[in-house]
Amino acid sequence: MAANKPASSADMESYEAGSSFESAIKVASVAEEYQWLRTHYPGGQMVEQSLLFHNKKPYDLLEIITEVGINKKVYFDISTFYGKH
């Protein structure tokens, strides 16, 4: 009988990605944030988007409800484009 296969590092990375300021997903635009959400949480519904600063760095926090009803907060590092225009 085979034991349960542990999650791969790729699975763990996608689970952890965006769960905190430290693991925020680096993006180059707001459109890229929404594309990331559609890819990782298909069928999810947007609840709220907030602009936050942590250690003087800008982040977007997107709160969603996944297709199966789980509330998720996803942090995005927007320092590459925020305030550059």
Side-chain angles (χ1 to χ4, degrees):
M1 215 171 173
N4 285 340
K5 180 181 170 187
S8 71
S9 60
D11 290 340
M12 291 303 289
E13 182 179 333
S14 64
Y15 174 76
E16 296 292 329
S19 62
S20 66
F21 288 113
E22 293 73 23
S23 67
I25 298 136
K26 292 183 181 189
V27 292
S29 68
V30 172
E32 200 174 314
E33 294 174 354
Y34 285 87
Q35 180 59 47
W36 191 95
L37 288 174
R38 283 191 299 275
T39 299
H40 292 84
Y41 298 104
Q45 295 182 350
M46 177 60 63
V47 174
E48 185 174 7
Q49 180 174 353
S50 305
L51 172 63
L52 305 173
F53 289 88
H54 179 70
N55 293 331
K56 298 182 181 180
K57 193 172 181 180
Y59 293 86
D60 269 347
L61 173 60
L62 277 62
E63 297 181 51
I64 64 166
I65 298 176
T66 68
E67 191 173 36
V68 295
I70 298 170
N71 292 323
K72 282 282 194 185
K73 294 182 179 184
V74 184
Y75 293 81
F76 291 92
D77 176 347
I78 60 171
S79 60
T80 60
F81 69 92
Y82 179 78
K84 307 288 191 216
H85 298 99

